[in-house]
Amino acid sequence: MRKVFALMRANWLTALSYRVNMFFTYTGLVVGIVPLYFISHALQPMMAATIKTESPEFFAFLIVGMVTHQFVSMSVNSLHGALSSEIGSGSFEALMSTPTPLPALLLGMIGQAFTMTSLRTLVLSVAALAFGAHVVWHGVIPALLILGLIILSYLPFGIFSASLVLAFRATGPFPGGVVTASALLGGVYYPTQVIPAWIAVFSKFIPLTYGLRSLRRSLLDGAPLSASAADLGIVGVATVVLMVLSLATFIKALSYAKHSGTLTQY
Amino acid sequence: MATAAPVAVSINGVGKSFLVRRSFWDTVLHPFRREWSRALNEVSLDIHRGEFFGLLGPNGAGKTTLFKILATLVTADHGTASVEGFDVVSAASRVRELLTPVIADERSLRWRLTAKENLRLYATLYGLPSREVKGRVDEILNLVGLEDTGRKMVGRFSSGMKQRLLIGRALIPKPRVLLLDEPTRSLDPVTARTIRNFLRQEICKRLGCTVLLATHSADEAFELCDRVAILNHGEIVAVGPTEQLVLSFSDDRYRLWTRTPHHAAFDDLLTAGIASRTTLHEADTDGWGLVDMDVPGGLDRASDAVGFLVGRGVTVARFERARLSLGELIQRAVQKQTGGNRA
């Protein structure tokens, strides 16, 4: 773990050295919540009926969806992004030349993105609470566990994307497609019940649909974890299957890159 | 360097080919055609512990590929390579503890961090215990002369400072084997000389590191290396102690200093068939002229040539075998391609 933290620390120091960028990122989050607050309250009467099984108010519904989607986006994009950046700068070669195990390197690479996202979403959540978002406090711990499961279920997509970068230096539309499809069909901005029937079938294949529904029930409606057992079971199985497939793909891609000589090619 | 020292790096019949990238239309028209470019062909070498070994050769000869195979970053198609007895494929992690490469360029440093932060990161990644990290980082900074850089970001360093930091980074784990790919490229002559002295005195003599050096610099090859191998199109065309190799390829060329470079005896030397070619260079300010001559037939024949000239009244201040430039050495070795030599 020391090696993971060392890489995270170095990446944090690098990020912090861009002070102006850091300032605008967090200021933008706080400022951006104001229009969100007014829009969600304007839409509250229209959305109340469709979101009632997950949340009594649309503002909190929206904030939870956005926070979760930031983690989904981080899970899918951070690994291939970090890998591309390390390869592009030539530092991946140097990292791979150390006796650090590859999983530790990869964790270290995405660690900073994870903590950065956590901080961003914390700022967003605190700002939302200050604007009066309603949460059931005893549902916070179960909600965090569910969030952890959602992150794990999307990490395989990040590993698939990283495999593409290792082997072909490009991901194509894959990670963007996963993140966009999850946002549009996974219930981030509206409940999945309002999605037209002809496309709603696709939302059944998206882990976020089940994970987000469970998370909102726990955090915004105070439902126990057992109430979401079926949904969480689906996310759990998807996580295991996707994780095994993605790791196998990554190992294959690494071997291909070492054979083709592209592992450290800029 | 005693060649009887144990073998530190052993390379046996290593071969590597890369798929040639084709044009878009060629790929569309012939989707299943594959073209391969051979980077290494049956390369075999033994490099001994504590040896400073040079890899020479034109661009694309396979030097960097060989380094990347040793650094476990590229897998060979066939053959084996080991470092201190550990196979680079099956014991890759152990190899990475013993061997560190300086094959990445200065972009691989973290430019927004200080030299100390860069070294601290790699000290942890190389597995140094926490209590030793600070001391080792300070020691390395002193060793490479960057102890006064303080809070200065690496991005503000000169090329020479970045190069020294790259070498320092590779020295953190006290490697048994160091791979250096053109360590003084883009450096000014003074800095390059400082780095060369540092490599010879500190790395090789004091730390007892085995060093493999890929270079295009004659100074590096001749000043630093105990032995060199010349690679061409992925094959070793010559290998041996540096001085011996230079002499063996500069067999018939001699250089003579005289105050009478325009003496008719030089033409007689050609007429008599002792020399096959003479080239006169401009005299220096003291009036000494330099004459290059090719005298086939070894040292005895060269001695005859000197006797011939002196006997006809030529004043000879100095007569010696001409030293080949690195380019000439590589060119001659490639022309004489012997292939498959084992060191």
Side-chain angles (χ1 to χ4, degrees):
Chain A
M1 282 310 278
R2 263 185 72 224
K3 296 181 177 186
V4 174
F5 286 125
L7 254 178
M8 279 171 66
R9 182 177 178 277
N11 289 337
W12 258 109
L13 289 174
T14 304
L16 286 172
S17 73
Y18 295 97
R19 291 170 197 165
V20 177
N21 179 49
M22 210 66 159
F23 171 77
F24 282 124
T25 301
Y26 288 98
T27 313
L29 276 174
V30 176
V31 173
I33 205 148
V34 179
L36 206 64
Y37 173 78
F38 289 111
I39 292 168
S40 58
H41 274 76
L43 293 173
Q44 173 72 26
M46 201 191 309
M47 301 301 285
T50 50
I51 63 169
K52 68 178 180 212
T53 56
E54 295 175 49
S55 168
E57 63 170 25
F58 188 54
F59 179 53
F61 177 96
L62 207 52
I63 292 294
V64 169
M66 288 173 66
V67 163
T68 310
H69 189 252
Q70 288 213 18
F71 277 104
V72 164
S73 178
M74 182 275 299
S75 305
V76 175
N77 288 319
S78 60
L79 188 55
H80 77 81
L83 207 54
S84 295
S85 156
E86 299 281 3
I87 291 172
S89 70
S91 50
F92 189 59
E93 188 169 285
L95 292 174
M96 286 292 287
S97 303
T98 68
T100 309
L102 190 60
L105 281 184
L106 299 180
L107 275 177
M109 281 184 203
I110 62 169
Q112 187 261 339
F114 178 77
T115 48
M116 187 79 143
T117 307
S118 303
L119 204 59
R120 267 206 313 260
T121 53
L122 185 68
V123 170
L124 190 63
S125 305
V126 169
L129 286 172
F131 272 82
H134 166 77
V135 239
V136 178
W137 288 102
H138 67 78
V140 170
I141 302 284
L144 287 175
L145 291 174
I146 297 169
L147 182 63
L149 184 64
I150 294 172
I151 292 169
L152 276 180
S153 71
Y154 274 88
L155 267 183
F157 294 108
I159 298 172
F160 279 129
S161 306
S163 308
L164 288 170
V165 168
L166 269 188
F168 309 114
R169 290 287 171 279
T171 59
F174 178 71
V178 170
V179 172
T180 308
S182 296
L184 297 178
L185 302 172
V188 172
Y189 303 108
Y190 39 78
T192 50
Q193 298 95 294
V194 302
I195 298 171
W198 64 271
I199 202 172
V201 66
F202 294 108
S203 78
K204 292 194 171 103
F205 296 99
I206 292 176
L208 190 62
T209 304
Y210 308 96
L212 198 46
R213 192 160 59 203
S214 313
L215 198 155
R216 283 185 180 128
R217 276 184 193 153
S218 287
L219 187 65
L220 306 179
D221 210 29
L225 276 180
S226 55
S228 305
D231 279 352
L232 294 177
I234 292 171
V235 183
V237 170
T239 302
V240 172
V241 172
L242 288 169
M243 195 60 89
V244 170
L245 287 175
S246 66
L247 288 175
T249 308
F250 190 83
I251 290 166
K252 195 84 184 156
L254 184 65
S255 166
Y256 171 81
K258 278 193 171 189
H259 271 99
S260 63
T262 58
L263 182 64
T264 56
Q265 230 168 46
Y266 305 148
Chain B
M1 214 315 293
T3 50
V7 172
V9 177
S10 180
I11 301 162
N12 291 292
V14 164
K16 182 74 200 169
S17 295
F18 293 115
L19 203 56
V20 175
R21 182 175 282 271
R22 294 183 295 145
S23 70
F24 175 76
W25 284 116
D26 193 30
T27 310
V28 170
L29 294 172
H30 310 283
F32 300 109
R33 194 164 72 194
R34 293 280 181 274
E35 285 172 32
W36 297 89
S37 157
R38 195 173 62 189
L40 291 173
N41 184 30
E42 299 295 334
V43 171
S44 295
L45 277 173
D46 281 340
I47 295 141
H48 301 272
R49 209 173 276 172
E51 190 174 14
F52 212 118
F53 191 91
L55 272 179
L56 314 177
N59 289 328
K63 305 184 291 290
T64 303
T65 302
L66 187 59
F67 273 13
K68 288 194 174 182
I69 287 172
L70 290 174
T72 77
L73 298 170
V74 168
T75 311
D77 294 338
H78 55 83
T80 58
S82 62
V83 175
E84 295 287 350
F86 295 99
D87 186 83
V88 295
V89 177
S90 60
S93 182
R94 191 78 184 98
V95 168
R96 288 196 289 265
E97 287 172 8
L98 299 168
L99 172 149
T100 55
V102 186
I103 49 182
D105 64 24
E106 57 192 42
R107 290 188 310 137
S108 74
L109 295 165
R110 285 172 191 259
W111 284 33
R112 305 284 299 186
L113 303 185
T114 62
K116 197 171 262 190
E117 290 294 353
N118 267 276
L119 293 181
R120 188 176 156 169
L121 167 66
Y122 278 85
T124 310
L125 294 179
Y126 276 114
L128 260 71
S130 304
R131 62 183 180 283
E132 288 178 21
V133 168
K134 190 183 176 304
R136 183 71 183 142
V137 166
D138 289 342
E139 188 185 343
I140 293 286
L141 285 172
N142 276 318
L143 196 65
V144 295
L146 294 174
E147 66 275 20
D148 296 327
T149 52
R151 298 181 61 80
K152 193 174 177 181
M153 284 198 297
V154 168
R156 294 179 187 275
F157 280 18
S158 68
S159 286
M161 291 163 83
K162 286 178 191 149
Q163 196 62 34
R164 276 184 281 163
L165 185 57
L166 279 173
I167 293 171
R169 185 176 74 181
L171 293 176
I172 288 174
K174 299 183 181 170
R176 301 265 278 276
V177 179
L178 189 65
L179 303 181
L180 295 166
D181 196 356
E182 298 180 52
T184 60
R185 72 177 157 207
S186 79
L187 297 184
D188 65 81
V190 177
T191 312
R193 190 172 171 76
T194 310
I195 295 263
R196 279 198 298 277
N197 285 338
F198 167 75
L199 291 173
R200 187 78 209 176
Q201 296 305 322
E202 295 293 328
I203 310 295
C204 213
K205 287 195 174 156
R206 196 166 79 82
L207 301 177
C209 221
T210 305
V211 181
L212 270 79
L213 169 79
T215 185
H216 293 294
S217 155
D219 290 338
E220 272 173 24
F222 297 142
E223 281 178 29
L224 297 175
C225 299
D226 300 306
R227 285 193 305 154
V228 293
I230 298 172
L231 271 172
N232 185 47
H233 294 304
E235 291 184 15
I236 292 180
V237 295
V239 61
T242 314
E243 283 302 319
Q244 197 179 313
L245 209 59
V246 169
L247 287 177
S248 70
F249 281 99
S250 58
D251 47 8
D252 57 359
R253 187 183 293 182
Y254 298 87
R255 184 160 279 187
L256 178 143
W257 276 262
T258 176
R259 281 198 184 275
T260 51
H262 298 286
H263 200 288
F266 288 103
D267 291 332
D268 297 342
L269 199 66
L270 292 171
T271 313
I274 300 171
S276 60
R277 183 180 66 93
T278 59
T279 310
L280 172 67
H281 299 277
E282 285 300 307
D284 65 15
T285 49
D286 293 333
W288 287 101
L290 180 64
V291 181
D292 277 337
M293 56 179 72
D294 287 353
V295 184
L299 287 172
D300 289 341
R301 198 68 176 147
S303 173
D304 290 346
V306 177
F308 183 93
L309 292 170
V310 171
R312 280 160 179 73
V314 176
T315 53
V316 177
R318 190 170 165 193
F319 183 80
E320 64 183 11
R321 220 169 195 169
R323 193 183 183 95
L324 286 181
S325 70
L326 190 65
E328 287 170 322
L329 174 64
I330 293 171
Q331 195 179 14
R332 287 188 179 200
V334 167
Q335 282 166 355
K336 200 178 169 180
Q337 190 149 0
T338 51
N341 280 359
R342 184 175 184 87

